[in-house]
């Protein structure tokens, strides 16, 4: 049973972050919170941000985000708390080093290619970022730069289709890098102002608690409302659900898994 009033939300001129979060959670059947990410380039502004949690020991970016994604905390992340050098490089906290090229050599077995792979990654300007905030979308105290989802591939399919429908672009292109999936994917979305999808990298699989075959989907913060409105518009039009399968409109994305198959059908009980 849906936990939202689709028609009521679909009729609203604008949606709050909490309303968008509830719509995504209910209609896409999300397992985790959508995460709002904000980059701070002003130290005073970052210092004023009231967070609920900060990393204790150093940890990877995808580990730090767990407190927002799998729990409900607003988190502040600074360079001195980041363990992963790949994340520190893409966030512009440090310049790429020869040691990091060596780290990429395990993927390429070719030094020159490893260096090119590192150079090609999206990166924030060196030395300009002061800190990062992550929060569950419903709880974000500021307008996010990026909203990212960790979802199964079929949920990702729905989200990106709604991105296309909501923003009126015909395709979504994604760029694969040899690692830096969550950190680099967030930066790529921010710099290019486009949605994207990435697999897990080795670090986000082992350190980020993504053992179920999930993928990452990134949406620019100022486009997330268009995705939510498209989702609600479709769900209202097709009877209250997000599914594209068959005629569409089932509450669970993809309930009728065998299209046109007479064996996988449900009907109302006769009384």
């Amino acid at each position: 049973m849906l936990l939202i009033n689709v028609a009521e939300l679909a009729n609203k001129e604008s949606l709050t972050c909490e309303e968008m979060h509830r719509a995504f959670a209910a209609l896409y059947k999300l397992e985790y919170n959508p995460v709002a990410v904000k980059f701070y380039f002003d130290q005073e502004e970052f210092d004023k941000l009231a967070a609920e949690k900060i990393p204790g020991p150093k940890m990877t970016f995808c580990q730090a985000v767990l407190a927002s994604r799998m729990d409900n905390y607003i988190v502040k992340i600074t360079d001195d708390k980041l363990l992963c050098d790949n994340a520190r490089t893409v966030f512009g906290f440090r310049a790429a080093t020869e040691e990091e090229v060596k780290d990429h050599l395990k993927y390429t077995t070719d030094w020159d290619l490893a260096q090119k792979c590192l150079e090609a990654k999206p990166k924030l300007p060196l030395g300009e970022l002061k800190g990062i905030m992550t929060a569950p979308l419903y709880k974000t105290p500021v307008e996010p730069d990026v909203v990212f989802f960790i979802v199964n591939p079929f949920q990702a399919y729905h989200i990106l289709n709604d991105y296309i429908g909501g923003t009126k672009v015909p395709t979504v292109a994604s760029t694969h890098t040899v690692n830096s999936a969550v950190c680099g994917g967030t930066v790529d979305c921010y710099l290019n102002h486009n949605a994207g999808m990435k697999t897990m990298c080795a670090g986000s699989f082992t350190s980020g608690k993504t053992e179920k075959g999930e993928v990452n989907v990134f949406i620019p913060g100022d486009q997330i409302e268009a995705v939510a409105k498209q989702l609600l518009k479709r769900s209202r039009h097709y009877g209250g659900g997000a599914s594209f399968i068959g005629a569409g409109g089932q509450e669970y994305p993809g309930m009728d898994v065998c299209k046109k198959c007479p064996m996988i059908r449900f009907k109302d009980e006769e009384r």
Side-chain angles (χ1 to χ4, degrees), residues 15-207:
L15 299 169
T16 66
C17 286
E18 181 178 355
E19 288 168 337
M20 287 186 271
H21 188 131
R22 286 194 288 115
F24 293 141
L27 294 167
Y28 293 141
K29 307 296 186 191
L30 299 182
E31 185 171 355
Y32 311 115
N33 290 327
V35 177
V37 180
K38 180 71 174 179
F39 294 126
Y40 284 85
F41 298 94
D42 181 274
Q43 188 67 56
E44 184 178 356
E45 185 183 5
F46 182 66
D47 291 341
K48 287 180 180 177
L49 173 68
E52 297 168 315
K53 299 289 182 181
I54 60 171
K58 288 187 176 183
M59 58 183 70
T60 66
F61 179 66
C62 40
Q63 284 174 328
V65 172
L66 286 177
S68 299
R69 176 171 69 89
M70 298 180 77
D71 215 327
N72 296 292
Y73 294 113
I74 300 170
V75 181
K76 288 174 76 169
I77 304 164
T78 49
D79 179 25
D80 63 314
K81 290 296 185 180
L82 275 178
L83 177 67
C84 181
D85 287 334
N86 292 317
R88 296 181 64 219
T89 299
V90 298
F91 290 140
F93 285 135
R94 71 165 203 167
T97 65
E98 186 171 293
E99 194 63 33
E100 197 172 358
V101 178
K102 290 180 184 177
D103 189 46
H104 285 64
L105 197 57
K106 65 187 177 186
Y107 301 104
T108 65
T109 66
D110 179 306
W111 179 273
D112 291 338
L113 180 57
Q115 190 166 25
K116 288 178 181 177
C117 288
L118 180 57
E119 290 170 352
K121 287 185 182 182
K123 302 178 188 69
L124 296 178
L126 185 63
E128 293 189 13
L129 185 66
K130 307 306 179 188
I132 306 164
M133 180 219 75
T134 68
L137 179 60
Y138 81 90
K139 201 175 185 180
T140 179
V142 293
E143 292 297 315
D145 292 319
V146 174
V147 176
F148 92 88
F149 301 76
I150 290 184
V151 292
N152 68 47
F154 199 62
Q155 290 167 323
Y157 170 76
H158 279 69
I159 294 168
L160 293 175
N161 275 327
D162 283 331
Y163 176 82
I164 286 172
T167 62
K168 311 305 180 189
V169 298
T171 61
V172 172
S174 295
T175 301
H176 181 80
T177 57
V178 295
N179 57 23
S180 309
V182 177
C183 54
T186 306
V187 171
D188 185 41
C189 179
Y190 174 74
L191 292 176
N192 293 306
H193 198 246
N194 289 317
M197 181 174 68
K198 294 186 183 297
T199 66
M200 294 299 154
C201 68
S204 59
F205 181 85
T206 55
S207 302

Side-chain angles (χ1 to χ4, degrees), residues 24-30 152 154-155 157-158 231 234 241-245 249-257:
F24 293 141
L27 294 167
Y28 293 141
K29 307 296 186 191
L30 299 182
N152 68 47
F154 199 62
Q155 290 167 323
Y157 170 76
H158 279 69
L231 168 63
R234 286 196 307 101
S243 181
F244 290 117
I245 300 298
Q250 295 91 353
E251 286 193 11
Y252 195 86
M255 179 177 170
D256 285 332
V257 291

